[in-house]
Amino acid sequence: MKTIGLLGGMSWESTVSYYQIINRVVKQRLGGFHSAKCLLLSVDFAEIETCQAKGRWDDAAAILADGARRLERGGADFMLICTNTMHKVAPQVAAAVSVPLLHLAEVTADELLRRGMTKAALLGTRYTMEEDFYSGVLQRRGIEVLTPDAEDRGMINDVIFQELCMGRIEDASRQKLLSVIDGLRRQGAQGIVLGCTEIGLLVRPQDTDAPMLDTTLLHATAAAELALDC
């Protein structure tokens, strides 16, 4: 079994889900007392969020690159950035180490295409929805990407940072996101990409019949399967 390196803490709420999913997949595959071999480097999210808010992406990249090097020295065979937004600096993180980086957007594109979906809605932080570091990966794979309008992008961003990253799950916010999802489906979205690792904590499969892709679930599952593919 390969050792998984997890760059987490962005936020720790969703990193918990990564750890749970990875270990559940390994147990399902191997049975008995088996669990995943993994290393976790959990950053102080306040430092990362400050870099995001001030546009200091090079500083954020340096923090994660340092974490990646520590994971490699610890014996990680490959690693994950356990958040969608910080894939903005994925090239810098990947360049800092000699082991592979399992890119979340590539995993998402794989699943969309596996399901035959070539038009998808992307929900996430303002950075993820408005810049091309994530949507560009999907588009290069032949997937058309829809995003909410500016007002709804602001609302979703606020829900992520002011509620979900603080461990708050509000039903009123769930209803707002479900309304946005309905609107995107009417625009032709075949699937809804929950492109923030916290959104899956709020919008659940039982809340809508829209085909949803929980990127935390996809990324963590892909990591467990890669670790077992020896």
Side-chain angles (χ1 to χ4, degrees):
M1 188 191 306
K2 297 184 182 75
T3 298
I4 305 168
L6 301 171
L7 275 170
M10 301 167 282
S11 68
W12 68 262
E13 299 281 350
S14 58
T15 302
V16 170
S17 297
Y18 268 87
Y19 187 73
Q20 290 175 327
I21 294 164
I22 288 169
N23 280 289
R24 286 171 183 159
V25 171
V26 170
K27 181 174 178 61
Q28 288 167 2
R29 286 276 299 272
L30 300 182
F33 294 109
H34 285 287
S35 57
K37 293 180 180 180
C38 59
L39 301 171
L40 170 62
L41 191 293
S42 188
V43 302
D44 179 358
F45 188 41
E47 296 177 359
I48 298 295
E49 192 279 330
T50 297
C51 290
Q52 292 175 343
K54 294 184 177 180
R56 290 166 34 204
W57 293 101
D58 287 344
D59 291 340
I63 293 171
L64 293 192
D66 177 67
R69 286 189 289 266
R70 294 185 187 189
L71 289 172
E72 184 175 26
R73 288 197 299 270
D77 294 303
F78 66 95
M79 59 190 63
L80 289 69
I81 301 173
C82 301
T83 167
N84 288 266
T85 298
M86 292 312 297
H87 277 73
K88 179 177 172 69
V89 300
Q92 296 96 308
V93 175
V97 293
S98 60
V99 298
L101 176 71
L102 184 63
H103 198 291
L104 194 157
E106 293 288 359
V107 170
T108 302
D110 288 343
E111 180 64 12
L112 284 166
L113 295 175
R114 187 189 71 81
R115 297 192 192 185
M117 297 177 178
T118 55
K119 188 173 185 178
L122 175 61
L123 306 181
T125 64
R126 188 186 300 277
Y127 312 108
T128 300
M129 292 185 288
E130 295 181 355
E131 300 186 38
D132 68 354
F133 64 88
Y134 196 100
S135 60
V137 173
L138 304 185
Q139 290 165 348
R140 286 193 293 274
R141 300 283 297 275
I143 300 163
E144 182 181 351
V145 179
L146 303 177
T147 55
D149 62 27
E151 182 178 353
D152 285 336
R153 293 198 301 271
M155 178 272 293
I156 294 169
N157 191 75
D158 288 345
V159 167
I160 290 168
F161 283 102
Q162 297 175 17
E163 297 176 16
L164 300 179
C165 288
M166 298 298 178
R168 291 172 49 203
I169 306 296
E170 304 286 349
D171 186 64
S173 297
R174 178 181 295 116
Q175 297 309 314
K176 290 177 182 178
L177 260 72
L178 290 173
S179 177
V180 171
I181 288 170
D182 286 342
L184 291 165
R185 289 192 76 190
R186 288 194 294 272
Q187 293 178 46
Q190 298 167 309
I192 310 297
V193 175
L194 304 185
C196 170
T197 47
E198 277 79 24
I199 295 180
L201 302 172
L202 179 65
V203 179
R204 305 155 301 182
Q206 63 265 34
D207 295 324
T208 175
D209 60 358
M212 294 194 300
L213 288 82
D214 183 338
T215 56
T216 302
L217 177 61
L218 293 177
H219 203 201
T221 299
E225 291 175 346
L226 180 58
L228 294 173
D229 184 22
C230 298

PDB file of all heavy atoms in Angstrom, residues 37-56:
ATOM      1  N   LYS A  37      -2.501   4.010   4.928  1.00  0.00           N
ATOM      2  CA  LYS A  37      -1.236   4.590   5.343  1.00  0.00           C
ATOM      3  C   LYS A  37      -1.213   6.031   4.836  1.00  0.00           C
ATOM      4  O   LYS A  37      -1.255   6.262   3.620  1.00  0.00           O
ATOM      5  CB  LYS A  37      -0.060   3.819   4.743  1.00  0.00           C
ATOM      6  CG  LYS A  37       0.086   2.401   5.271  1.00  0.00           C
ATOM      7  CD  LYS A  37       1.284   1.714   4.620  1.00  0.00           C
ATOM      8  CE  LYS A  37       1.451   0.289   5.135  1.00  0.00           C
ATOM      9  NZ  LYS A  37       2.614  -0.388   4.492  1.00  0.00           N
ATOM     10  N   CYS A  38      -1.219   6.972   5.749  1.00  0.00           N
ATOM     11  CA  CYS A  38      -1.233   8.359   5.294  1.00  0.00           C
ATOM     12  C   CYS A  38      -0.517   9.269   6.287  1.00  0.00           C
ATOM     13  O   CYS A  38      -0.387   8.956   7.470  1.00  0.00           O
ATOM     14  CB  CYS A  38      -2.652   8.851   5.040  1.00  0.00           C
ATOM     15  SG  CYS A  38      -3.748   8.774   6.454  1.00  0.00           S
ATOM     16  N   LEU A  39      -0.062  10.385   5.759  1.00  0.00           N
ATOM     17  CA  LEU A  39       0.549  11.453   6.545  1.00  0.00           C
ATOM     18  C   LEU A  39      -0.282  12.705   6.325  1.00  0.00           C
ATOM     19  O   LEU A  39      -0.716  12.980   5.206  1.00  0.00           O
ATOM     20  CB  LEU A  39       1.981  11.717   6.078  1.00  0.00           C
ATOM     21  CG  LEU A  39       2.977  10.558   6.147  1.00  0.00           C
ATOM     22  CD1 LEU A  39       4.269  10.955   5.433  1.00  0.00           C
ATOM     23  CD2 LEU A  39       3.262  10.191   7.591  1.00  0.00           C
ATOM     24  N   LEU A  40      -0.504  13.468   7.392  1.00  0.00           N
ATOM     25  CA  LEU A  40      -1.287  14.699   7.298  1.00  0.00           C
ATOM     26  C   LEU A  40      -0.451  15.885   7.749  1.00  0.00           C
ATOM     27  O   LEU A  40       0.098  15.876   8.853  1.00  0.00           O
ATOM     28  CB  LEU A  40      -2.547  14.597   8.163  1.00  0.00           C
ATOM     29  CG  LEU A  40      -3.350  15.890   8.356  1.00  0.00           C
ATOM     30  CD1 LEU A  40      -3.871  16.426   7.028  1.00  0.00           C
ATOM     31  CD2 LEU A  40      -4.498  15.662   9.339  1.00  0.00           C
ATOM     32  N   LEU A  41      -0.355  16.882   6.887  1.00  0.00           N
ATOM     33  CA  LEU A  41       0.224  18.172   7.253  1.00  0.00           C
ATOM     34  C   LEU A  41      -0.934  19.164   7.228  1.00  0.00           C
ATOM     35  O   LEU A  41      -1.456  19.498   6.165  1.00  0.00           O
ATOM     36  CB  LEU A  41       1.322  18.567   6.252  1.00  0.00           C
ATOM     37  CG  LEU A  41       2.248  19.765   6.560  1.00  0.00           C
ATOM     38  CD1 LEU A  41       1.521  21.094   6.547  1.00  0.00           C
ATOM     39  CD2 LEU A  41       2.985  19.562   7.871  1.00  0.00           C
ATOM     40  N   SER A  42      -1.367  19.589   8.399  1.00  0.00           N
ATOM     41  CA  SER A  42      -2.516  20.481   8.510  1.00  0.00           C
ATOM     42  C   SER A  42      -2.031  21.893   8.787  1.00  0.00           C
ATOM     43  O   SER A  42      -1.416  22.153   9.830  1.00  0.00           O
ATOM     44  CB  SER A  42      -3.447  19.994   9.633  1.00  0.00           C
ATOM     45  OG  SER A  42      -4.661  20.723   9.636  1.00  0.00           O
ATOM     46  N   VAL A  43      -2.290  22.802   7.857  1.00  0.00           N
ATOM     47  CA  VAL A  43      -1.816  24.173   7.989  1.00  0.00           C
ATOM     48  C   VAL A  43      -2.749  24.973   8.890  1.00  0.00           C
ATOM     49  O   VAL A  43      -3.862  24.540   9.222  1.00  0.00           O
ATOM     50  CB  VAL A  43      -1.723  24.862   6.607  1.00  0.00           C
ATOM     51  CG1 VAL A  43      -0.794  24.101   5.679  1.00  0.00           C
ATOM     52  CG2 VAL A  43      -3.107  25.016   5.976  1.00  0.00           C
ATOM     53  N   ASP A  44      -2.297  26.153   9.281  1.00  0.00           N
ATOM     54  CA  ASP A  44      -3.150  27.110   9.990  1.00  0.00           C
ATOM     55  C   ASP A  44      -3.937  27.867   8.923  1.00  0.00           C
ATOM     56  O   ASP A  44      -3.380  28.694   8.190  1.00  0.00           O
ATOM     57  CB  ASP A  44      -2.281  28.061  10.814  1.00  0.00           C
ATOM     58  CG  ASP A  44      -3.115  29.100  11.570  1.00  0.00           C
ATOM     59  OD1 ASP A  44      -4.356  29.099  11.427  1.00  0.00           O
ATOM     60  OD2 ASP A  44      -2.506  29.911  12.290  1.00  0.00           O
ATOM     61  N   PHE A  45      -5.223  27.578   8.830  1.00  0.00           N
ATOM     62  CA  PHE A  45      -6.020  28.142   7.741  1.00  0.00           C
ATOM     63  C   PHE A  45      -6.069  29.663   7.791  1.00  0.00           C
ATOM     64  O   PHE A  45      -6.231  30.321   6.763  1.00  0.00           O
ATOM     65  CB  PHE A  45      -7.434  27.551   7.770  1.00  0.00           C
ATOM     66  CG  PHE A  45      -8.279  27.933   6.577  1.00  0.00           C
ATOM     67  CD1 PHE A  45      -7.744  27.970   5.305  1.00  0.00           C
ATOM     68  CD2 PHE A  45      -9.618  28.258   6.736  1.00  0.00           C
ATOM     69  CE1 PHE A  45      -8.520  28.312   4.206  1.00  0.00           C
ATOM     70  CE2 PHE A  45     -10.399  28.606   5.649  1.00  0.00           C
ATOM     71  CZ  PHE A  45      -9.855  28.644   4.383  1.00  0.00           C
ATOM     72  N   ALA A  46      -5.924  30.251   8.980  1.00  0.00           N
ATOM     73  CA  ALA A  46      -5.953  31.711   9.075  1.00  0.00           C
ATOM     74  C   ALA A  46      -4.851  32.327   8.217  1.00  0.00           C
ATOM     75  O   ALA A  46      -5.055  33.366   7.580  1.00  0.00           O
ATOM     76  CB  ALA A  46      -5.797  32.147  10.535  1.00  0.00           C
ATOM     77  N   GLU A  47      -3.691  31.689   8.186  1.00  0.00           N
ATOM     78  CA  GLU A  47      -2.589  32.205   7.364  1.00  0.00           C
ATOM     79  C   GLU A  47      -2.927  32.128   5.880  1.00  0.00           C
ATOM     80  O   GLU A  47      -2.660  33.064   5.114  1.00  0.00           O
ATOM     81  CB  GLU A  47      -1.312  31.418   7.655  1.00  0.00           C
ATOM     82  CG  GLU A  47      -0.797  31.563   9.079  1.00  0.00           C
ATOM     83  CD  GLU A  47       0.426  30.705   9.338  1.00  0.00           C
ATOM     84  OE1 GLU A  47       0.859  29.973   8.404  1.00  0.00           O
ATOM     85  OE2 GLU A  47       0.964  30.758  10.456  1.00  0.00           O
ATOM     86  N   ILE A  48      -3.519  31.013   5.492  1.00  0.00           N
ATOM     87  CA  ILE A  48      -3.886  30.828   4.076  1.00  0.00           C
ATOM     88  C   ILE A  48      -4.991  31.793   3.679  1.00  0.00           C
ATOM     89  O   ILE A  48      -4.930  32.433   2.609  1.00  0.00           O
ATOM     90  CB  ILE A  48      -4.332  29.371   3.828  1.00  0.00           C
ATOM     91  CG1 ILE A  48      -3.194  28.390   4.125  1.00  0.00           C
ATOM     92  CG2 ILE A  48      -4.839  29.209   2.395  1.00  0.00           C
ATOM     93  CD1 ILE A  48      -1.995  28.519   3.220  1.00  0.00           C
ATOM     94  N   GLU A  49      -6.005  31.942   4.525  1.00  0.00           N
ATOM     95  CA  GLU A  49      -7.132  32.819   4.200  1.00  0.00           C
ATOM     96  C   GLU A  49      -6.668  34.265   4.063  1.00  0.00           C
ATOM     97  O   GLU A  49      -7.155  35.002   3.197  1.00  0.00           O
ATOM     98  CB  GLU A  49      -8.209  32.690   5.281  1.00  0.00           C
ATOM     99  CG  GLU A  49      -9.548  33.322   4.924  1.00  0.00           C
ATOM    100  CD  GLU A  49      -9.587  34.824   5.146  1.00  0.00           C
ATOM    101  OE1 GLU A  49      -8.871  35.306   6.067  1.00  0.00           O
ATOM    102  OE2 GLU A  49     -10.314  35.524   4.405  1.00  0.00           O
ATOM    103  N   THR A  50      -5.732  34.679   4.906  1.00  0.00           N
ATOM    104  CA  THR A  50      -5.183  36.037   4.799  1.00  0.00           C
ATOM    105  C   THR A  50      -4.474  36.224   3.464  1.00  0.00           C
ATOM    106  O   THR A  50      -4.645  37.258   2.796  1.00  0.00           O
ATOM    107  CB  THR A  50      -4.203  36.316   5.953  1.00  0.00           C
ATOM    108  OG1 THR A  50      -4.920  36.263   7.198  1.00  0.00           O
ATOM    109  CG2 THR A  50      -3.550  37.686   5.814  1.00  0.00           C
ATOM    110  N   CYS A  51      -3.709  35.232   3.063  1.00  0.00           N
ATOM    111  CA  CYS A  51      -3.037  35.302   1.761  1.00  0.00           C
ATOM    112  C   CYS A  51      -4.055  35.392   0.629  1.00  0.00           C
ATOM    113  O   CYS A  51      -3.874  36.181  -0.319  1.00  0.00           O
ATOM    114  CB  CYS A  51      -2.139  34.079   1.566  1.00  0.00           C
ATOM    115  SG  CYS A  51      -0.681  34.020   2.617  1.00  0.00           S
ATOM    116  N   GLN A  52      -5.125  34.609   0.712  1.00  0.00           N
ATOM    117  CA  GLN A  52      -6.171  34.651  -0.311  1.00  0.00           C
ATOM    118  C   GLN A  52      -6.788  36.033  -0.395  1.00  0.00           C
ATOM    119  O   GLN A  52      -6.900  36.628  -1.477  1.00  0.00           O
ATOM    120  CB  GLN A  52      -7.254  33.620   0.006  1.00  0.00           C
ATOM    121  CG  GLN A  52      -6.825  32.172  -0.119  1.00  0.00           C
ATOM    122  CD  GLN A  52      -7.925  31.211   0.320  1.00  0.00           C
ATOM    123  OE1 GLN A  52      -8.879  31.596   0.995  1.00  0.00           O
ATOM    124  NE2 GLN A  52      -7.793  29.953  -0.066  1.00  0.00           N
ATOM    125  N   ALA A  53      -7.203  36.557   0.757  1.00  0.00           N
ATOM    126  CA  ALA A  53      -7.919  37.832   0.795  1.00  0.00           C
ATOM    127  C   ALA A  53      -7.058  38.985   0.293  1.00  0.00           C
ATOM    128  O   ALA A  53      -7.572  39.942  -0.300  1.00  0.00           O
ATOM    129  CB  ALA A  53      -8.406  38.107   2.216  1.00  0.00           C
ATOM    130  N   LYS A  54      -5.753  38.898   0.514  1.00  0.00           N
ATOM    131  CA  LYS A  54      -4.853  39.984   0.116  1.00  0.00           C
ATOM    132  C   LYS A  54      -4.182  39.740  -1.237  1.00  0.00           C
ATOM    133  O   LYS A  54      -3.347  40.529  -1.659  1.00  0.00           O
ATOM    134  CB  LYS A  54      -3.789  40.189   1.203  1.00  0.00           C
ATOM    135  CG  LYS A  54      -4.375  40.688   2.528  1.00  0.00           C
ATOM    136  CD  LYS A  54      -3.290  40.967   3.561  1.00  0.00           C
ATOM    137  CE  LYS A  54      -3.890  41.540   4.844  1.00  0.00           C
ATOM    138  NZ  LYS A  54      -2.852  41.832   5.867  1.00  0.00           N
ATOM    139  N   GLY A  55      -4.567  38.635  -1.880  1.00  0.00           N
ATOM    140  CA  GLY A  55      -3.987  38.335  -3.178  1.00  0.00           C
ATOM    141  C   GLY A  55      -2.541  37.904  -3.128  1.00  0.00           C
ATOM    142  O   GLY A  55      -1.831  37.963  -4.138  1.00  0.00           O
ATOM    143  N   ARG A  56      -2.087  37.431  -1.969  1.00  0.00           N
ATOM    144  CA  ARG A  56      -0.689  37.011  -1.810  1.00  0.00           C
ATOM    145  C   ARG A  56      -0.565  35.521  -2.116  1.00  0.00           C
ATOM    146  O   ARG A  56      -0.247  34.698  -1.263  1.00  0.00           O
ATOM    147  CB  ARG A  56      -0.222  37.328  -0.383  1.00  0.00           C
ATOM    148  CG  ARG A  56      -0.075  38.814  -0.105  1.00  0.00           C
ATOM    149  CD  ARG A  56       0.045  39.145   1.379  1.00  0.00           C
ATOM    150  NE  ARG A  56       0.752  38.113   2.132  1.00  0.00           N
ATOM    151  CZ  ARG A  56       0.596  37.914   3.446  1.00  0.00           C
ATOM    152  NH1 ARG A  56      -0.273  38.663   4.124  1.00  0.00           N
ATOM    153  NH2 ARG A  56       1.265  36.968   4.074  1.00  0.00           N
TER     154      ARG A  56
END
